[in-house]
Amino acid sequence: AVYFTDAKENLYQLDQWFEPLRRLHERHRVAVLSRNWETTRALLDTCPVPVHHAPDIDGVEAFLGRHPVRAMLYVNQNQANFSAMRFADPAHVFICHGESDKDYMSSNQLKAYDRVFIAGTAARERILRKLIGFDESHLVEVGRPQVDVDFPAPTMPHDDRTVVLFAPTWEGDRASMRYSSVESHGPALVRSLVATGRHRVIYRPHPRTGIVLRTTRAAHDEVIRLLHEANKADAGAAHLVDTDGGFGWQLAASDVAVMDISAVAYDWLATAKPLLVTQPAEPRARLPESALVRELDLFTAADAGRAASVVDAAVAHPDEAHSALVRRYFGDTTPGASMERFLEACDHVIRERSAALAERTARLGAGRE
């Protein structure tokens, strides 16, 4: 059972798990326990596994009383999750909703779970470096199963163009978090790429782009204008402004990505395809303690005007530092490997918990004798 207490606006944390859960449902019965009615209503329309509405903890208790749940999965660390942890029979497993170097990913809350599914060695090192008294045996490396999902995608030409995903973050609400490259890199980068006739750009901006700074909004509008004009000039270019719908199909559709310091960069990293991480132009931006920042050469605004040659070099000559980073964060990224590791990890937890419950029953029975 997946335990989800959040409101509808946080469904993005769960819907990225739909396909892995559907695959798991083929091996073991899976249900989502939702505590919020608006969330439940949305899930009933979209979720590929059964959904049960449990508005209060009594409803959760009744569900667990009717069904032999062996594992409870959690995609976030909402404090309301802990109301379900009083139930001792299921194994409680944190699966999270992404990989990053944020403090959230090494919270002391991880100690509450029987198992913590992590992406790879980098996550293990991060947790053990920060947490005191954490039991390393609770960590299970599963990679990023979402990278093995075939998401519905728009129809795009199949030709020899190099498809470049430009997915910048927004400008943030403070200078220290101003990682966005929309203004610093965007127009120059796009001009360079559309001029070649050999590249196709998918522009996927953060939905909050331009809400704080007018100059960022102006640069965003300029990028869109450049792509529309390029399409008018060349019908085969098929550049795409992607401001609606979910994120996922872009990973398979693109050959190389230009991204800022943000969560989507880690999703892309799991593909093992070339990645250019931008250097924030804001001098007050504080770079996180991340291997993405420390171990990769950042793509500066000064180089945005020659983006085409930078992209071509990244595709033609893969950086060994990048390959090592992929292995450290996600392990084996062979197609299908992460999905299988996730399914096997769930299977192991379920079998392990079933055996432990049988042992407990036998022990209690022997004690009564």
Side-chain angles (χ1 to χ4, degrees):
V2 183
Y3 190 69
F4 194 74
T5 66
D6 283 55
K8 184 179 176 181
E9 57 263 27
N10 285 336
L11 265 176
Y12 73 92
Q13 299 173 341
L14 179 58
D15 63 18
Q16 63 181 264
W17 283 102
F18 281 177
E19 180 59 16
L21 292 174
R22 187 194 68 77
R23 293 282 302 277
L24 181 60
H25 192 57
E26 295 173 352
R27 301 188 182 190
H28 303 280
R29 288 178 295 168
V30 177
V32 174
L33 293 180
S34 172
R35 297 285 302 274
N36 179 288
W37 174 240
E38 288 297 320
T39 299
T40 301
R41 186 156 53 187
L43 286 170
L44 288 170
D45 289 335
T46 59
C47 187
V49 301
V51 178
H52 180 80
H53 183 61
D56 51 38
I57 201 64
D58 286 340
V60 177
E61 185 172 10
F63 181 87
L64 295 177
R66 293 192 303 269
H67 302 283
V69 175
R70 295 294 176 259
M72 294 276 277
L73 310 182
Y74 303 84
V75 299
N76 62 30
Q77 295 193 46
N78 189 321
Q79 63 181 9
N81 289 349
F82 290 87
S83 62
M85 289 192 172
R86 70 179 178 89
F87 300 108
D89 284 2
H92 297 273
V93 182
F94 183 61
I95 62 175
C96 200
H97 56 272
E99 165 67 357
S100 76
D101 287 300
K102 296 177 182 177
D103 284 346
Y104 174 91
M105 302 300 294
S106 52
S107 163
N108 214 46
Q109 287 177 294
L110 297 181
K111 294 178 181 178
Y113 301 95
D114 296 293
R115 291 290 182 270
V116 177
F117 287 5
I118 57 175
T121 302
R124 181 182 298 274
E125 293 172 348
R126 179 192 313 125
I127 291 167
L128 297 180
R129 182 171 61 246
K130 181 178 178 183
L131 298 186
I132 298 171
F134 181 81
D135 187 345
E136 185 179 358
S137 68
H138 291 188
L139 300 176
V140 182
E141 296 181 21
V142 299
R144 182 73 171 143
Q146 286 78 4
V147 79
D148 292 323
V149 175
D150 293 325
F151 293 95
T155 301
M156 298 184 70
H158 294 285
D159 51 27
D160 294 331
R161 287 184 183 245
T162 299
V163 181
V164 182
L165 173 60
F166 178 38
T169 191
W170 69 303
E171 64 271 28
D173 58 1
R174 71 205 78 171
S176 63
M177 297 290 288
R178 196 150 293 151
Y179 302 139
S180 177
S181 63
V182 173
E183 183 178 350
S184 58
H185 295 62
L189 177 146
V190 169
R191 286 191 186 95
S192 175
L193 292 172
V194 302
T196 67
R198 297 183 291 102
H199 298 86
R200 175 169 297 116
V201 177
I202 299 175
Y203 177 48
R204 170 75 181 197
H206 191 286
R208 293 174 65 84
T209 295
I211 70 167
V212 173
L213 297 179
R214 291 181 182 177
T215 51
T216 301
R217 168 55 65 174
H220 165 76
D221 292 340
E222 175 71 0
V223 167
I224 293 175
R225 184 188 67 79
L226 289 168
L227 293 175
H228 285 167
E229 288 184 353
N231 283 339
K232 288 180 182 178
D234 180 1
H239 302 297
L240 180 63
V241 176
D242 175 30
T243 55
D244 299 308
F247 184 78
W249 65 265
Q250 301 87 346
L251 303 178
S254 307
D255 300 305
V256 58
V258 179
M259 294 176 168
D260 304 333
I261 300 167
S262 65
V264 295
Y266 292 89
D267 280 341
W268 178 268
L269 189 65
T271 69
K273 292 188 282 190
L275 168 65
L276 299 173
V277 179
T278 64
Q279 169 75 52
E282 168 58 62
R284 294 168 293 176
R286 290 204 301 264
L287 300 184
E289 284 298 317
S290 164
L292 279 180
V293 174
R294 295 194 310 269
E295 299 180 24
L296 295 182
D297 292 330
L298 300 185
F299 181 35
T300 67
D303 286 331
R306 60 182 197 92
S309 61
V310 175
V311 163
D312 288 345
V315 173
H317 306 289
D319 184 358
E320 180 53 36
H322 175 269
S323 300
L325 207 59
V326 171
R327 291 191 296 271
R328 196 167 136 226
Y329 272 93
F330 298 102
D332 183 5
T333 56
T334 303
S338 288
M339 183 69 78
E340 188 58 31
R341 288 162 71 192
F342 168 72
L343 297 175
E344 287 293 331
C346 289
D347 189 61
H348 179 75
V349 168
I350 290 166
R351 287 187 282 106
E352 184 180 60
R353 183 52 54 129
S354 296
L357 289 171
E359 181 184 348
R360 187 185 69 181
T361 300
R363 185 174 66 250
L364 293 175
R368 283 192 292 269
E369 294 175 4

